[in-house]
Amino acid sequence: DSGVTQTPKHLITATGQRVTLRCSPRSGDLSVYWYQQSLDQGLQFLIQYYNGEERAKGNILERFSAQQFPDLHSELNLSSLELGDSALYFCASSPGDSRNTIYFGEGSWLTVV
Amino acid sequence: DAKTTQPNSMESNEEEPVHLPCNHSTISGTDYIHWYRQLPSQGPEYVIHGLTSNVNNRMASLAIAEDRKSSTLILHRATLRDAAVYYCILESNAGGTSYGKLTFGQGTILTVHP
């Protein structure tokens, strides 16, 4: 158990819909990262927040957005869902914004039908 | 970002050592070498990282070539629980870089036979 909690674990939704994935980082960790893992693209970095502020952006679609709240939990919002958005979405956390071990959650399986 | 090359798959027997190679010929002087692994149905898990010197921890050892163009992750005694996808990742130390922005490749699928 990494200490990173993600909900929901599984989610099935229809195309065009909007979903929110939630992440609680390890106690005390200020940085939260979101990654997407799909069969064709592998593991891809989406976005990082550090203490409530966006710190780095990766290959995140404009239909996707994220935020980190004052209590440090984070949400990833996926809208206008397409079949290709079906993937495993991981949240990870680390203590700060310098070189630390990154701890990953168990992921949220999203299936778009 | 500098790229890494790993074999698609490797096999090992339980209780034997495993050497997982990684080539990174375009590594820059400040890039750190990280290894993560992903067990089935789980998120990636940190294994080890290093810059120039060989590193040891309770999970594994990391041997880094003198020219830093390659490295080897060593599992001293493989167990069935070590069956996973192992990722070799270069982390840039360039100014302004996010330290959590890891670029995962395809990794090496390690199969451990009883």
Side-chain angles (χ1 to χ4, degrees):
Chain A
D1 182 7
S2 66
V4 178
T5 305
Q6 292 187 245
T7 56
K9 292 197 184 322
H10 300 272
L11 188 58
I12 301 175
T13 190
T15 54
Q17 294 298 305
R18 181 179 189 275
V19 299
T20 297
L21 308 180
R22 194 179 191 279
C23 170
S24 293
R26 292 187 328 144
S27 178
D29 282 0
L30 298 179
S31 276
V32 170
Y33 313 84
W34 286 97
Y35 281 79
Q36 179 195 56
Q37 186 170 35
S38 60
L39 283 175
D40 55 344
Q41 297 287 336
L43 257 167
Q44 288 199 311
F45 169 80
L46 295 179
I47 198 164
Q48 178 206 357
Y49 279 82
Y50 172 71
N51 204 20
E53 293 188 3
E54 182 183 303
R55 185 57 61 99
K57 239 178 181 177
N59 299 323
I60 187 166
L61 299 173
E62 284 191 14
R63 300 183 285 108
F64 296 179
S65 65
Q67 53 184 329
Q68 185 180 26
F69 295 88
D71 67 352
L72 301 177
H73 91 271
S74 178
E75 292 181 354
L76 178 66
N77 300 297
L78 315 173
S79 62
S80 303
L81 285 167
E82 302 174 0
L83 296 177
D85 298 327
S86 296
L88 190 51
Y89 292 84
F90 287 107
C91 173
S93 73
S94 67
D97 193 31
S98 59
R99 179 161 292 104
N100 301 119
T101 297
I102 311 293
Y103 296 89
F104 284 79
E106 294 193 352
S108 292
W109 274 103
L110 173 65
T111 302
V112 182
V113 297
Chain B
D1 290 336
K3 190 176 174 177
T4 63
T5 304
Q6 300 177 251
N8 290 332
S9 62
M10 291 187 64
E11 297 186 19
S12 172
N13 294 318
E14 206 175 5
E15 311 253 321
E16 290 184 356
V18 181
H19 291 236
L20 297 164
C22 180
N23 287 319
H24 28 78
S25 57
T26 59
I27 191 171
S28 75
T30 55
D31 286 347
Y32 276 75
I33 303 160
H34 289 254
W35 284 82
Y36 278 74
R37 72 180 185 181
Q38 187 172 17
L39 279 64
S41 302
Q42 293 190 27
E45 173 187 35
Y46 168 82
V47 178
I48 201 166
H49 78 277
L51 182 62
T52 55
S53 304
N54 294 344
V55 185
N56 299 296
N57 66 21
R58 64 174 179 81
M59 288 181 70
S61 295
L62 176 60
I64 301 173
E66 202 168 322
D67 63 6
R68 301 210 327 125
K69 294 185 176 181
S70 66
S71 61
T72 302
L73 178 70
I74 302 166
L75 306 179
H76 295 286
R77 289 181 64 195
T79 69
L80 296 178
R81 198 191 169 280
D82 291 322
V85 180
Y86 287 79
Y87 297 98
C88 171
I89 301 163
L90 298 184
E91 180 199 14
S92 173
N93 195 28
T97 298
S98 165
Y99 292 104
K101 188 179 177 181
L102 302 176
T103 301
F104 287 80
Q106 294 305 307
T108 297
I109 301 171
L110 176 65
T111 302
V112 180
H113 299 289

